[in-house]
Amino acid sequence: MVRPNEEVEALLHEYADLIAITGGEAFKARAYEKAARAIGGYPADVSHLDVAGLKEIPGVGKSIAEKVVEYFRTGHVTVVEERRAEIPAGVRQLITIPTLGPRKAMALYEDLHISSVGELADAIKAEKLRDLKGFGEKTEENILHGIALMQQAGGRILLSTAMEAAEDIVAELSRITGCEHCAYAGSLRRMKETIGDIDILVAARRAAPFMDALTDLPSTAEVIAHGEKKTSIRTVKGVQVDLRVVRPDAWGAGMQYFTGSKAHNIRTRTIAVHLGLKLSEYGLFETEGGKRVASRSEDEVYARLGLPWIPPALREDRGEIEAGLRGELPEVVTERDIRGDLHTHTDLTDGLTPLEDMVAAAAQRGYAYYAVTDHAPNLYMQRMTDEKILAQREQVRSLDGEHHGMRLLHGTELNIGPEGEVDWPDEFLQGFDLCVAAVHSHFNLGRKAMTRRFVRACENPHVNIIGHPTTRLLGKRPGIDADLDEVFAACARTGTALEVDAQPDRLDLGDEDILRARSHGAKFAIDTDAHSIPQLACLRYGIGTAQRGWLTPDDVINTWPLRRLRRFLRKDRAG
């Protein structure tokens, strides 16, 4: 089930877009966007709050609070419905294209009567946009690129969206009498960054109660197929869920079969054949005679194939079979290994939560240390000043060790400029415990210039971590064009860590880039880039991505004891 906070967040974001499309005041649209983010990141369930309680959330005034209360009371908001009625559905579809804003979408509809993505693509090919005010050849290129991103994403959803839906369904099915095991499998269990559909597996002696229960869930919008061995539904969010029920004594074989990528499963079945065995979702059988030799647990199945248990995130046929046969499979990093988060924000800049509350929430996660890294002044919209950051430093120092002994690090997220320059001079940067540096603009520099930009940032003795290195936003913005191997080598040479940003729409670095960077000897930091308390829990997605990149605790600097971490953060300044 979607959190009530997220429902309201989506509604207010939509209303902000509707205001922009219909020519409303820009400041009003921004106010609704800010309130949407604040409510989405608020830790408590907003459906239980009245107007007064909602107004306690930063950025939520009386008018917005009243609309939220109306939504939970009636299921809709009158002014939103009225704005929707003013705008054709096709225009609302157009604004989902990355790079195409609300005003341009409305102009396309009014001037050229374009109301679908297909019509827009045809109009660009016919060069019909070039005579419109505010449009040109570059705009056409950007829009086509946005359409390509949409099509590339297809029907796939973010890992976090799939995870929330899967965990809700697993919880519901686990309550049914006769359920011995229930879990998600497939690409979701392998923690791929986007998911096509969700595979759920149940171990039980009778399948019918589970098949019926899935079709009757409140989140089920459509029943695609309903059978004894498999039932498929589509949720109200448009996600396909496939449920299979296996006998309890075949649970391990079923999980192995329905988790592995196709390539991984082909390899394991080939090994089975060479051993005179046959592997299926029902078990591992002797080819002659059909005797079942393994099926109850994945460990049992892999062991009979001469392999150790292989972590799900590694099951992509990227060398895990060979490493397992050699006894060299890595002990990949887990969430339990993480000692602290090194990239987080507060309401001093674009975060939603005061420093004290973020620190308290981090301490509840059992961290040994925690870094606050608000934006530096070169992101002008954040309005950071020397005085503000120094006042925050005093506050951080006063809270150091106050929550279960958790140590606090005062840092900042620097902006990497086009020439590789960063905010603040060297003497000012010396006062920080650590500096994350990231690209936030000028994404289209040429390959050589972009590479030089990153290398220069790595060579800065005060830059400790390159944040969300490729700048990608899944389904919205591609990664930058740079010689990443040169960047990764520079990180290894200078003692600069590469971030695995755990925000579900980033997961940056991605797994394939992690594998390349690791081969250069680079180190990594798995951070949440949290802007609110709930986002601290996004760590799990960064961990999954790191596992897919074969990272071990020794590769990840925020698994290290604080003393070792501090030595790394000194870079070559210690010499």
Side-chain angles (χ1 to χ4, degrees):
M1 299 288 287
V2 178
R3 288 176 67 234
N5 300 37
E6 293 169 359
E7 292 180 33
V8 175
E9 181 181 16
L11 182 74
L12 296 182
H13 272 305
E14 180 189 1
Y15 190 49
D17 284 339
L18 294 174
I19 291 170
I21 291 172
T22 53
E25 304 92 334
F27 78 88
K28 186 175 181 182
R30 286 196 297 271
Y32 277 92
E33 288 172 352
K34 183 178 180 181
R37 291 195 302 271
I39 289 173
Y42 193 65
D45 184 343
V46 296
S47 66
H48 300 310
L49 301 180
D50 58 11
V51 169
L54 287 162
K55 286 172 63 180
E56 294 294 318
I57 302 173
V60 178
K62 181 182 177 185
S63 176
I64 294 174
E66 288 173 345
K67 291 178 178 65
V68 174
V69 170
E70 179 188 357
Y71 175 73
F72 286 119
R73 188 180 69 249
T74 67
H76 69 274
V77 177
T78 303
V79 293
V80 177
E81 297 292 332
E82 290 171 351
R83 291 268 185 168
R84 282 173 178 162
E86 295 177 32
I87 301 163
V91 177
R92 297 204 298 275
Q93 182 192 23
L94 290 179
I95 65 172
T96 64
I97 300 172
T99 74
L100 183 65
R103 291 183 185 275
K104 278 190 165 61
M106 196 63 182
L108 290 168
Y109 176 76
E110 291 176 339
D111 296 338
L112 297 177
H113 309 294
I114 293 171
S115 60
S116 74
V117 176
E119 289 174 358
L120 177 56
D122 290 341
I124 292 173
K125 288 173 185 173
E127 299 184 354
K128 292 182 178 179
L129 272 62
R130 297 186 181 184
D131 295 332
L132 296 182
K133 183 180 179 182
F135 290 81
E137 191 173 347
K138 186 64 176 177
T139 307
E140 290 177 342
E141 290 177 12
N142 289 338
I143 293 172
L144 285 175
H145 186 62
I147 292 173
L149 283 173
M150 273 183 76
Q151 293 170 339
Q152 185 179 357
R156 299 184 72 81
I157 58 174
L158 294 179
L159 172 62
S160 56
T161 304
M163 187 68 77
E164 289 166 8
E167 289 182 336
D168 285 340
I169 292 170
V170 167
E172 292 291 336
L173 298 182
S174 296
R175 296 190 185 102
I176 297 174
T177 302
C179 178
E180 295 198 18
H181 302 285
C182 181
Y184 53 81
S187 58
L188 178 58
R189 190 174 177 224
R190 300 199 312 277
M191 298 294 282
K192 288 199 70 171
E193 60 200 29
T194 60
I195 308 299
D197 50 44
I198 297 170
D199 294 297
I200 304 287
L201 202 63
V202 167
R205 299 188 183 283
R206 294 181 61 239
F210 300 92
M211 302 301 189
D212 293 341
L214 180 65
T215 61
D216 292 340
L217 288 177
S219 58
T220 296
E222 174 191 0
V223 178
I224 300 169
H226 190 303
E228 292 182 11
K229 293 184 178 180
K230 177 183 175 183
T231 291
S232 298
I233 60 100
R234 199 175 311 280
T235 71
V236 293
K237 301 283 282 185
V239 185
Q240 181 171 325
V241 180
D242 298 329
L243 170 65
R244 296 172 179 83
V245 179
V246 299
R247 293 185 60 82
D249 59 4
W251 172 251
M255 283 297 286
Q256 193 280 330
Y257 183 88
F258 290 113
T259 294
S261 68
K262 181 178 179 181
H264 177 87
N265 284 352
I266 289 172
R267 295 295 305 278
T268 54
R269 288 200 298 272
T270 301
I271 292 172
V273 169
H274 289 157
L275 295 173
L277 303 169
K278 180 181 178 182
L279 179 61
S280 73
E281 65 266 45
Y282 304 110
L284 191 57
F285 300 87
E286 292 180 350
T287 305
E288 303 240 348
K291 179 184 175 184
R292 183 161 59 182
V293 297
S295 65
R296 286 191 171 275
S297 71
E298 286 190 317
D299 297 67
E300 184 180 276
V301 172
Y302 278 113
R304 189 63 180 78
L305 295 173
L307 291 164
W309 180 80
I310 297 176
L314 299 187
R315 301 181 196 177
E316 297 288 353
D317 190 26
R318 294 196 290 208
E320 73 277 7
I321 299 291
E322 292 81 359
L325 291 171
R326 294 194 305 267
E328 297 175 359
L329 206 61
E331 292 285 339
V332 290
V333 64
T334 70
E335 198 163 348
R336 292 187 301 275
D337 296 315
I338 299 297
R339 296 175 186 244
D341 198 332
L342 300 180
H343 182 181
T344 67
H345 297 272
T346 75
D347 62 356
L348 183 63
T349 53
D350 60 344
L352 303 171
T353 310
L355 172 66
E356 300 94 323
D357 296 341
M358 289 296 287
V359 169
Q364 288 178 352
R365 296 181 65 83
Y367 289 151
Y369 46 81
Y370 176 75
V372 178
T373 55
D374 276 311
H375 288 286
N378 283 3
L379 281 181
Y380 301 108
M381 71 288 291
Q382 307 303 346
R383 299 180 181 177
M384 178 57 79
T385 64
D386 295 7
E387 293 74 22
K388 283 183 180 180
I389 202 73
L390 292 175
Q392 184 188 65
R393 183 173 299 163
E394 290 301 312
Q395 193 179 7
V396 167
R397 300 297 184 236
S398 70
L399 292 169
D400 186 25
E402 292 296 309
H403 290 273
H404 310 295
M406 185 178 74
R407 304 304 306 273
L408 297 182
L409 303 174
H410 188 237
T412 184
E413 182 178 2
L414 301 168
N415 185 53
I416 303 174
E419 298 297 323
E421 72 277 15
V422 298
D423 325 60
W424 285 314
D426 284 353
E427 58 269 21
F428 196 82
L429 292 177
Q430 286 176 1
F432 290 100
D433 296 315
L434 81 161
C435 294
V436 178
V439 165
H440 298 95
S441 63
H442 298 88
F443 300 116
N444 297 318
L445 290 182
R447 184 179 177 86
K448 286 183 69 174
M450 186 67 80
T451 304
R452 185 170 63 248
R453 177 187 196 179
F454 274 97
V455 170
R456 184 178 174 193
C458 292
E459 290 172 343
N460 187 310
H462 302 287
V463 170
N464 304 116
I465 300 168
I466 301 296
H468 41 79
T470 75
T471 79
R472 73 175 186 177
L473 292 174
L474 293 168
K476 295 181 181 178
R477 186 172 71 209
I480 46 90
D481 181 19
D483 184 339
L484 291 180
D485 286 299
E486 186 174 339
V487 174
F488 299 156
C491 284
R493 171 172 53 83
T494 60
T496 308
L498 287 153
E499 183 173 67
V500 181
D501 189 307
Q503 286 295 307
D505 63 345
R506 288 190 185 273
L507 299 181
D508 182 15
L509 285 174
D511 56 348
E512 293 182 359
D513 286 332
I514 292 171
L515 286 164
R516 287 167 60 193
R518 187 170 183 260
S519 72
H520 284 281
K523 295 298 182 184
F524 304 82
I526 306 173
D527 301 322
T528 64
D529 193 1
H531 287 63
S532 64
I533 289 172
Q535 290 184 357
L536 291 171
C538 290
L539 180 68
R540 65 193 298 198
Y541 305 120
I543 292 291
T545 302
Q547 290 178 344
R548 291 178 58 79
W550 290 50
L551 294 188
T552 69
D554 192 56
D555 295 316
V556 179
I557 65 172
N558 50 321
T559 69
W560 300 349
L562 183 58
R563 182 174 294 181
R564 182 183 177 190
L565 173 64
R566 285 192 185 278
R567 283 201 304 272
F568 179 86
L569 296 177
R570 285 197 293 269
K571 290 183 80 168
D572 58 359
R573 288 177 288 137

